[in-house]
């Protein structure tokens, strides 16, 4: 296989995704919150990074950029509306660009809500979604609104089922505990818990995961399901008119979980 995707652990639970073309030893770096791990890996494997892709402004996604740019002098792609260090290629919804060294074409999705300007990178049925969607969960509201994040998750939901989701954190088991509190009768949740526990015992990532799988147990993609709405009504004591209301109170429930 000439192309691989490597999750490089960073900080306590981040992944820096490295998209590597082994045929010419080049790579793209997604969300480098730290630099040293990337540099060590590239040195060991004699790989030349050719670009940095950034999903949003948070420090655990951007703090490695400056050091990497100083060493490799490579372009930095990122959201046009957020302060990203060394940004050379500001991007907005539906923008497209290519990375010729990896023969990859990327499409930008506006998936704001976690932060107001958060973007996702879509290529060949792979979505790098930063902190917008996690396996069995979603990002907190740290700049955007519930309506915005709900719309962004709907946008992701409309992608093909086989889309592979590359999230920026290993939060899956914690998220599944919450998912199970919301939908105790959903057997797909327990199946995913068993699967992820086995992976984590081997120190393997629970990611990527297909969108099709996520739709079966991620409560934040299931806010129009009767079972989720019912649970949110009971927990919040609020009237739920629609999927967006359900999402808003579900997000609050998770914040306090
Ligand atoms: Zn973040």
């Amino acid at each position: 296989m000439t192309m691989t995707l490597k999750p490089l652990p960073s900080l306590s639970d981040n992944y820096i995704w490295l998209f590597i073309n082994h045929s010419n030893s080049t790579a793209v770096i997604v969300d480098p919150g730290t630099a040293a791990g990337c540099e060590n890996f590239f040195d060991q494997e004699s790989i030349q990074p050719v670009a940095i892709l950034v999903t949003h402004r948070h420090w655990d996604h951007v703090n490695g950029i400056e050091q990497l740019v100083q060493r490799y002098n490579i372009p930095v792609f990122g959201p046009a509306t957020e302060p990203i260090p060394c940004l050379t290629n500001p991007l907005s919804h539906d923008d497209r660009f290519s990375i010729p060294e990896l023969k990859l074409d990327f499409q930008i999705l506006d998936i704001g809500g976690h932060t107001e300007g958060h973007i996702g990178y879509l290529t060949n049925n792979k979505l790098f979604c930063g902190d917008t969607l996690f396996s069995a969960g979603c990002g907190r509201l740290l700049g955007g609104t519930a309506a915005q994040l709900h719309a962004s998750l709907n946008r992701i939901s409309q992608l093909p089922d086989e889309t592979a989701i590359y999230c920026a954190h290993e939060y899956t088991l914690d998220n599944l505990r919450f998912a199970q509190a919301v939908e105790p009768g959903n057997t797909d949740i327990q199946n995913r818990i068993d699967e992820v526990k086995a992976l984590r015992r081997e120190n393997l990532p629970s990611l990527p995961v297909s969108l099709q799988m996520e739709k079966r147990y991620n409560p934040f993609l299931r806010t129009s399901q009767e079972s989720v709405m019912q649970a949110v009504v009971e927990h919040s004591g609020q009237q739920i008119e629609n999927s967006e209301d359900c999402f808003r109170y579900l997000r609050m429930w998770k914040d306090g979980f």
Side-chain angles (χ1 to χ4, degrees), residues 184-254:
N186 182 340
T187 54
D188 288 315
I189 296 172
Q190 189 58 50
N191 292 341
R192 178 70 169 145
I193 288 174
D194 295 342
E195 176 188 60
V196 174
K197 276 187 173 165
L199 287 167
R200 299 305 294 148
R201 266 198 299 274
E202 305 292 323
N203 209 23
L204 293 169
S206 63
L207 306 166
V209 61
S210 75
L211 183 58
Q212 182 173 36
M213 288 295 292
E214 284 303 304
K215 285 179 178 176
R216 293 163 68 160
Y217 54 69
N218 187 329
F220 294 97
L221 296 179
R222 297 170 56 77
T223 51
S224 46
Q225 297 285 325
E226 194 56 43
S227 52
V228 175
M229 283 193 163
Q230 193 66 42
V232 170
V233 166
E234 278 169 26
H235 184 268
S236 67
Q238 301 287 333
Q239 295 280 354
I240 303 286
E241 299 280 333
N242 52 41
S243 171
E244 186 185 306
D245 287 346
C246 181
F247 176 81
R248 177 175 295 109
Y249 291 111
L250 183 66
R251 187 55 266 180
M252 286 182 197
W253 181 1
K254 174 74 162 59

Side-chain angles (χ1 to χ4, degrees), residues 56-61 114-115 118 130-131 134 142 169:
H56 68 294
R57 61 183 162 77
H58 284 154
W59 67 276
D60 57 321
H61 299 251
H114 169 66
T115 63
H118 196 305
D131 290 356
F134 297 122
L142 299 174
H169 287 272

